[in-house]
Amino acid sequence: MTLPALVGLVVLLAALVFIGAALARLSRPINTEGHSGDEQLIEKVNNLLPQTQCAQCGHPGCRPYAYAIIKQREPINRCPPGGDRTIADLAELLGTTALPLDSSCGEQKPIQVAIIDESVCIGCTLCIHACPVDAIVGAGKLMHTVISDQCTGCELCLPPCPVDCIDLVSPATSTSDWQWPRPA
Amino acid sequence: MLKPILDTQAVSLKTLNTQHIMLWVLAALLPGVFVYAWFISPLVFFNIALAAVLAVVFEALALYWRGQAIHGGVQDGSIVVAAVLLALAVPPLLPFWQLAVGVFIMVMLGKQVYGGLGNNPFNPAMVGYAALLVSFPQTMTLWSAPDLLNQLTLGHLLNAKLSLDLLNPNLLIDWDGITRATPLEHLRTLKMQGLSVDQNLAQQQFISSGWVWTNLAFLLGGLLLLYRRIIQWHIPASVILSFALCSLLFSAQNVPWYLSVFSGALMLGAFFIATDPVTAASSNRGRLVFGAGIGALCFIIREFGGYPEGFAFAVLLMNLCVPLIDHIDMHWGTSA
Amino acid sequence: MRVRNAWRKQFSAEKPRAPFSFHGGLKLDTSKRALTRFNSTGIKELPLPAKLVVPLIDYHKNNIEPLVNIQQTVSRGQIIAPGIISPAYGTVSVIEPCEFIHPGGLSVNSVVIDTHANNSENPPVSIPSAKAAQAMINSFAEQPIETLEQAALVGLGGAGFPTLHKIKSANNGIHTLIINAAECEPEIACDEALMLAEPEAIALGIETLVQLTQCQQCIIAIEDSKPLAQQQLSEAINTFDVNAAIMTIPTRYPTGAETTLIEVVTGKRLAYRNANSPTTKSQTTPSEHGIVCINIGTAHALWQMVERNQALDSRVVSLGGSNMRNPCNVRVRFGTPVNFVLSATDNTPDNAHTRIRAGGPLSGFDLHSLNAPITANTNCILAEAAFIETPAQPCIRCGQCADVCPVKLLPQQLHWYAQSEDHDKCAQLNLAACIECGCCDLVCPASIKLTETFRYAKSTARFLSEQNQKADEAEQRFKNREERLKQREADRKAAIEKRKQAVKSQDKKTNTDRIKAALERARTKQKSSKD
């Protein structure tokens, strides 16, 4: 082989290696271990999450999930309450592709709030301890009630209830949050 | 069940829908078409009819393939307007099958691949024209001499036009006898040969060729569109002004600027091609920039480029800039 | 109509023309069917229905709690909920969700009043002499402005903003008081009818407003298409020496909208997309600029308050539209169901295809139920033929929508972003400033439903921002809870530790003590055995 051909081959190989490395680097989410921006990024991810605190992603709350996304490369499609909109927002923030919702975490449901059947409630306080956002009030041996404005519909109060007196219902459309229908 | 909110029927206001707009554009093209037929070649009628019919057929076909409503897509008439513009832009003696190729490219690659009306970034007619110009440079620059043309019978011409064999060198030699370059092409040839152009001769040639009259007729149609408020003044005015200004300041040829403004496809382009709203800038300020760019590019291509007429490329290049113009215009003055 | 044209020549030249203009807008054929019969019928007084329905809802669409109980007797003008008065003497029969005038056909908690037979009729407004009127106004203006609360005054232009709140929110004083006498939408004629019927009461109401607000100037803006009304009002103003000037403004839709009217009269652009920086919202309320815009119907209602202490409990409603048999202007008590209004004027729709709409042809919407009651916002009821929908074609980017937009938005771009649910971009292009006038829909050659899309995007953006706020609050509570649990855990551990320590130290102590005690006991035993 002649020298120019060798040089050409080397240059070509170098270019291939460089481009490959660059592409591999760019395909990852924009984060680096131990980078000082990590805290800010976690904060940004956390802001995009719906703050339902439902733990369906397998983490005990939205912020822990945000931490896991940035620090442990957790997939971004594990948030059923946020659904496709949240996944799209996360993908845009992190510069990755939006994936379909991981159905092993659950399905996206319409907004719901918990309601306690007060005639059945025995006042055991188990649901109060389970509620991640302090939306249930009550005391021992006294009837409990859900502050529906503050309920995130996370369903975490359902399993502990010994008498199954908690239901999830769709909140009634009030005039203040009525939306115009989307034109066809 | 929510019923329609806005009731336009309760308000009498004459508004034009897309179909009306296209019909008005076709009507405004008529004077130019007739003058063109009179001075340049009556074959333009044949070209227009062929292009329009083929365009509708191709459009219907594309809509069928795309699974769209054929009737609703064709009836807005936009493709007929594009076909007529393409037929007016190509030389009248262009073999019919080449015109068909141009129409096909116009419909498919100029419009439908982007998702049909409203989504195409480039002017479809100019996409078709540019494709023809680079594919068939010989026949696309073969303009007939008006005086000689009138001596031939229409049958003779049609016969030649329908010939698939026009690229046959023998035939071309034959045609050379009866064809003559357009004034613009003539100027270009002279310049290539390093010859100077006599001003009086050039003026005579410009006027006698009929191109000036054709341009005036298109100007008339354009003014009709302006009067009917189908188009806004911004694009035609800035195209013509910037072209005139460029030729006044920088033209090395001995042709006065007021003649070069009325030569070639400038009026047709300024009023009918550049004003296509789909591919033009969307704000008035942006339209001024868009038009000025077309005028300047058109002059540059005519003066320094490899083609005698540069309007198509000027339009396509400025189409390319439209998203940028729109973006800058929308965020004008913001730091972001 | 011929008469009106004659007036136009004679009078419109006298009044100063508006010094400013606004961008875009449309000249519409403002045929007003309700007004053509005005000369024979005037403003018809509607009888009181047996049942009135008063929705318990405020300007911000929030539910409010009633202050009355079922079976309670209420007098006319009695406050039955904060900011809401009973429109008639009667008994509260029930408080329950009832349908009201709403584009989605929703129901809202309402007080239903069975009216008593011996309700007082509305006497015609008496007009005192100029001197007596001035005295009445002076004494009224001396009272604290909170007295107005009893009047339950809200804007009668269509939005229903509480007037007292409007006046009070102008912290830096009111520079310009604009009396809105412009009705630019076709079919709506209630204000013009009122100006023709009772110009004196309006003039006196305006004088009261001038005194109440202490404004530096008061401008009555009337379109050039209403020369007769302008003449009548001008005479009344001269008679009572009202400190207000009439200004003739061009008849171009939507001049009557607050934003555009303020621009036409003062040249100030309040809700525009800021040309220099579209990313910052430049929306401000008129009150911040010392401008207050009040409808002439509201001025008329204020005079009723001054003259006979009567709260705002009725309004003039235009009945129009192509399918309205007897178009007319009627004075309707609030709470009167729409079907009562229609039947009392012999306008009950005779076929199922007739659509009954509330509001004007452009700004209004179809009613879901004719049981919905008339409120202060209902300026117009229309009966229209069935709607033939024209399917939308693709946008050809012609830009006509931007040319007619009175608040200089970019409807084409906004439509694109609204359809793709890009609410951030919509906010950047200041979608919130859209006044939903519908001009863009009218000119769009492709019949794209722009306004509908904008209404959808605006309400969705609002909903999403509320959701966001809720999420932030939930996060805060979650954080607090975590903190609390951590604290509790730490406390618990500390307590255990403490107890362990205590047990340990206590144990040591007690062991030695026990030993000591045992030794002591042993010693005493030994001693006693020795003894």
Side-chain angles (χ1 to χ4, degrees):
Chain A
M1 247 194 277
T2 56
L3 188 67
L6 265 178
V7 171
L9 202 65
V10 169
V11 169
L12 207 64
L13 275 176
L16 280 177
V17 168
F18 175 77
I19 291 167
L23 281 176
R25 179 74 191 78
L26 288 173
S27 69
R28 286 189 313 188
I30 26 167
N31 63 26
T32 42
E33 255 86 0
H35 192 268
S36 61
D38 266 15
E39 281 308 311
Q40 283 173 14
L41 207 52
I42 292 172
E43 192 57 46
K44 277 184 185 162
V45 170
N46 186 42
N47 278 339
L48 290 179
L49 294 172
Q51 304 303 329
T52 324
Q53 318 295 353
C54 63
Q56 289 183 82
C57 51
H59 300 273
C62 294
R63 178 170 284 278
Y65 179 42
Y67 181 87
I69 287 177
I70 299 302
K71 294 281 191 184
Q72 294 153 14
R73 299 271 166 79
E74 186 81 347
I76 58 170
N77 60 343
R78 299 181 59 83
C79 179
D84 292 336
R85 198 193 287 264
T86 299
I87 296 172
D89 289 349
L90 285 173
E92 198 187 325
L93 174 72
L94 302 173
T96 54
T97 38
L99 308 160
L101 182 65
D102 188 345
S103 56
S104 68
C105 299
E107 300 296 328
Q108 188 181 8
K109 292 175 195 164
I111 298 169
Q112 289 188 310
V113 292
I115 187 163
I116 294 176
D117 186 347
E118 293 165 352
S119 61
V120 183
C121 175
I122 53 170
C124 66
T125 74
L126 287 175
C127 58
I128 296 182
H129 294 304
C131 180
V133 291
D134 290 342
I136 307 180
V137 290
K141 302 275 169 63
L142 292 170
M143 183 187 71
H144 305 339
T145 191
V146 178
I147 308 167
S148 55
D149 247 15
Q150 304 192 345
C151 177
T152 61
C154 67
E155 306 186 6
L156 288 178
C157 51
L158 299 187
C161 181
V163 289
D164 276 347
C165 70
I166 308 178
D167 279 319
L168 281 170
V169 294
S170 312
T173 322
S174 71
T175 45
S176 53
D177 59 10
W178 179 79
Q179 292 176 53
W180 285 86
R182 194 192 164 98
Chain B
M1 184 59 211
L2 189 74
K3 290 170 204 162
I5 306 300
L6 193 84
D7 181 1
T8 43
Q9 291 171 336
V11 182
S12 65
L13 177 86
K14 271 189 191 160
T15 50
L16 293 171
N17 64 24
T18 312
Q19 197 183 2
H20 293 152
I21 290 177
M22 296 304 166
L23 285 175
W24 270 107
V25 174
L26 287 177
L29 278 168
L30 280 179
V33 171
F34 279 111
V35 174
Y36 184 104
W38 181 259
F39 281 107
I40 317 287
S41 166
L43 278 175
V44 72
F45 290 124
F46 174 84
N47 282 356
I48 287 176
L50 180 73
V53 169
L54 281 178
V56 169
V57 169
F58 289 146
E59 173 108 329
L61 209 60
L63 288 168
Y64 173 73
W65 283 334
R66 287 179 51 217
Q68 305 281 314
I70 293 172
H71 184 64
V74 174
Q75 75 168 2
D76 61 45
S78 58
I79 201 65
V80 177
V81 170
V84 173
L85 291 175
L86 179 65
L88 284 172
V90 298
L93 279 170
L94 190 73
F96 79 95
W97 62 273
Q98 292 182 358
L99 181 62
V101 168
V103 171
F104 184 81
I105 291 171
M106 171 183 85
V107 175
M108 300 299 172
L109 295 182
K111 188 176 175 190
Q112 291 293 340
V113 283
Y114 299 106
L117 180 65
N119 298 315
N120 46 311
F122 299 108
N123 190 310
M126 292 301 101
V127 170
Y129 180 86
L132 284 178
L133 192 57
V134 294
S135 312
F136 311 110
Q138 279 173 303
T139 45
M140 277 297 283
T141 48
L142 187 73
W143 290 80
S144 55
D147 40 355
L148 283 172
L149 202 58
N150 287 340
Q151 293 163 14
L152 297 166
T153 61
L154 198 65
H156 187 170
L157 288 171
L158 275 179
N159 194 21
K161 197 169 162 53
L162 291 174
S163 154
L164 283 171
D165 210 20
L166 200 72
L167 285 177
N168 183 332
N170 293 329
L171 210 67
L172 267 182
I173 292 164
D174 264 14
W175 277 105
D176 255 358
I178 57 160
T179 58
R180 197 169 74 196
T182 64
L184 284 177
E185 215 160 335
H186 186 61
L187 274 179
R188 159 147 297 278
T189 322
L190 287 178
K191 208 178 71 182
M192 297 285 235
Q193 293 165 349
L195 298 170
S196 67
V197 186
D198 179 68
Q199 187 171 348
N200 286 335
L201 230 138
Q203 282 194 21
Q204 239 173 20
Q205 199 190 8
F206 264 79
I207 295 168
S208 69
S209 70
W211 280 101
V212 172
W213 301 115
T214 313
N215 269 290
L216 280 171
F218 282 126
L219 172 66
L220 187 74
L223 291 178
L224 175 71
L225 288 188
L226 272 180
Y227 173 71
R228 295 294 313 175
R229 290 173 183 263
I230 308 272
I231 57 171
Q232 308 276 317
W233 60 267
H234 305 81
I235 292 177
S238 59
V239 169
I240 294 169
L241 275 179
S242 103
F243 183 85
L245 204 66
C246 285
S247 30
L248 185 65
L249 295 178
F250 307 115
S251 181
Q253 293 168 356
N254 262 337
V255 183
W257 64 271
Y258 50 86
L259 274 182
S260 49
V261 162
F262 286 106
S263 67
L266 201 81
M267 287 299 154
L268 176 70
F271 283 96
F272 294 92
I273 297 173
T275 50
D276 169 27
V278 175
T279 53
S282 61
S283 71
N284 288 340
R285 197 163 45 180
R287 285 177 185 144
L288 288 175
V289 176
F290 176 75
I294 290 178
L297 279 174
C298 185
F299 171 78
I300 290 169
I301 296 171
R302 273 194 193 179
E303 187 76 18
F304 309 108
Y307 292 100
E309 172 60 299
F311 203 88
F313 291 110
V315 167
L316 291 175
L317 285 172
M318 286 315 287
N319 284 163
L320 212 57
C321 301
V322 161
L324 185 68
I325 295 174
D326 279 352
H327 182 85
I328 293 174
D329 183 71
M330 211 163 26
H331 296 271
W332 188 258
T334 44
S335 50
Chain C
M1 290 296 108
R2 232 176 281 133
V3 180
R4 289 176 64 197
N5 281 333
W7 282 118
R8 183 176 310 185
K9 274 182 199 148
Q10 202 171 338
F11 292 101
S12 60
E14 285 180 15
K15 303 291 173 296
R17 306 268 322 172
F20 302 99
S21 183
F22 65 93
H23 180 257
L26 289 171
K27 276 201 190 319
L28 300 178
D29 171 18
T30 53
S31 61
K32 303 200 169 185
R33 295 184 184 90
L35 202 71
T36 50
R37 288 213 178 178
F38 176 78
N39 289 338
S40 55
T41 57
I43 297 174
K44 230 191 251 174
E45 188 82 24
L46 213 63
L48 200 60
K51 202 176 79 171
L52 292 175
V53 181
V54 186
L56 294 170
I57 193 168
D58 67 5
Y59 171 75
H60 297 288
K61 305 271 190 317
N62 291 320
N63 294 348
I64 40 183
E65 289 300 312
L67 300 171
V68 289
N69 299 317
I70 296 170
Q71 297 308 327
Q72 187 177 332
T73 306
V74 289
S75 59
R76 184 175 181 188
Q78 183 184 339
I79 292 175
I80 55 174
I84 294 178
I85 53 124
S86 167
Y89 171 48
T91 311
V92 178
S93 65
V94 67
I95 299 174
E96 62 174 9
C98 295
E99 286 151 325
F100 74 118
I101 293 182
H102 186 270
L106 295 188
S107 294
V108 70
N109 211 22
S110 312
V111 175
V112 182
I113 298 166
D114 287 336
T115 53
H116 288 194
N118 55 347
N119 250 296
S120 57
E121 284 286 305
N122 256 355
V125 189
S126 67
I127 303 300
S129 70
K131 217 173 163 188
Q134 213 41 267
M136 284 165 80
I137 291 170
N138 283 343
S139 69
F140 185 83
E142 276 164 19
Q143 294 171 332
I145 198 160
E146 277 69 24
T147 327
L148 269 184
E149 235 164 78
Q150 290 170 20
L153 271 193
V154 296
L156 292 179
F161 194 77
T163 309
L164 179 61
H165 189 77
K166 214 181 223 179
I167 295 172
K168 274 164 88 178
S169 62
N171 296 325
N172 304 326
I174 293 169
H175 177 266
T176 307
L177 175 68
I178 300 172
I179 304 295
N180 186 349
E183 279 174 309
C184 45
E185 212 170 338
E187 300 291 353
I188 305 178
C190 52
D191 288 351
E192 192 173 356
L194 196 62
M195 281 190 279
L196 292 172
E198 300 177 22
E200 294 88 1
I202 294 172
L204 289 168
I206 292 171
E207 175 64 16
T208 318
L209 275 171
V210 170
Q211 302 235 355
L212 273 178
T213 55
Q214 303 282 322
C215 61
Q216 291 174 26
Q217 58 168 340
C218 175
I219 294 165
I220 305 168
I222 306 184
E223 296 143 297
D224 51 15
S225 61
K226 300 187 177 80
L228 192 55
Q230 194 174 326
Q231 161 68 8
Q232 299 256 36
L233 197 57
S234 160
E235 277 171 10
I237 279 172
N238 288 337
T239 315
F240 294 103
D241 199 17
V242 176
N243 290 316
I246 290 182
M247 185 185 278
T248 311
I249 59 170
T251 310
R252 182 154 53 107
Y253 182 77
T255 22
E258 193 176 53
T259 354
T260 41
L261 186 70
I262 288 172
E263 184 174 358
V264 165
V265 174
T266 68
K268 278 187 181 154
R269 296 173 171 185
L270 300 187
Y272 275 26
R273 163 177 167 260
N274 188 337
N276 289 324
S277 105
T279 46
T280 55
K281 279 185 202 164
S282 53
Q283 214 169 356
T284 48
T285 63
S287 306
E288 286 169 34
H289 295 262
I291 299 167
V292 165
C293 221
I294 286 174
N295 183 269
I296 55 139
T298 315
H300 181 269
L302 181 64
W303 174 248
Q304 290 195 330
M305 181 70 189
V306 175
E307 190 239 339
R308 62 172 93 125
N309 206 26
Q310 182 186 315
L312 173 61
D313 57 10
S314 66
R315 69 158 298 144
V316 183
V317 178
S318 291
L319 305 180
S322 54
N323 277 18
M324 193 69 82
R325 273 196 306 278
N326 295 311
C328 55
N329 291 292
V330 286
R331 182 167 277 283
V332 185
R333 206 70 74 87
F334 294 162
T336 309
V338 170
N339 52 13
F340 182 86
V341 176
L342 293 179
S343 64
T345 53
D346 188 26
N347 273 320
T348 313
D350 48 7
N351 65 58
H353 302 298
T354 303
R355 297 174 306 137
I356 303 296
R357 296 161 61 84
L362 285 122
S363 60
F365 47 82
D366 284 19
L367 285 178
H368 289 245
S369 159
L370 295 188
N371 294 324
I374 301 282
T375 62
N377 302 352
T378 322
N379 47 15
C380 182
I381 296 289
L382 295 179
E384 294 286 354
F387 188 82
I388 304 160
E389 196 168 352
T390 36
Q393 290 167 305
C395 170
I396 56 166
R397 300 179 12 108
C398 66
Q400 286 194 61
C401 46
D403 291 342
V404 297
C405 181
V407 280
K408 280 195 169 174
L409 298 176
L410 300 171
Q412 180 195 320
Q413 280 81 354
L414 278 170
H415 182 256
W416 179 263
Y417 291 128
Q419 275 214 318
S420 53
E421 305 267 340
D422 194 338
H423 298 291
D424 290 343
K425 268 280 193 306
C426 285
Q428 266 183 28
L429 295 177
N430 209 0
L431 176 62
C434 170
I435 58 171
E436 300 174 20
C437 62
C439 286
C440 46
D441 283 298
L442 279 182
V443 295
C444 180
S447 329
I448 296 169
K449 296 190 187 78
L450 292 149
T451 311
E452 254 185 84
T453 316
F454 297 155
R455 281 170 167 166
Y456 160 76
K458 278 168 83 174
S459 58
T460 308
R462 199 169 51 232
F463 176 75
L464 287 178
S465 84
E466 272 166 26
Q467 286 300 105
N468 266 344
Q469 202 188 333
K470 265 185 152 176
D472 286 350
E473 287 166 13
E475 191 197 357
Q476 194 54 48
R477 289 200 307 278
F478 178 69
K479 270 186 190 162
N480 292 347
R481 178 172 177 271
E482 297 251 282
E483 202 67 23
R484 196 178 66 226
L485 291 183
K486 220 187 261 172
Q487 189 62 44
R488 197 178 288 168
E489 186 64 23
D491 286 353
R492 200 172 63 90
K493 273 189 180 147
I496 291 170
E497 202 58 31
K498 210 171 161 189
R499 212 179 308 149
K500 268 186 188 164
Q501 290 291 337
V503 167
K504 258 185 197 165
S505 56
Q506 208 181 10
D507 280 359
K508 270 181 194 163
K509 224 199 234 161
T510 45
N511 281 351
T512 44
D513 285 355
R514 270 185 205 156
I515 293 165
K516 266 185 190 169
L519 285 172
E520 198 64 28
R521 277 200 305 276
R523 256 182 230 133
T524 46
K525 253 186 186 173
Q526 264 181 350
K527 260 186 190 171
S528 59
S529 63
K530 271 180 188 172
D531 291 338

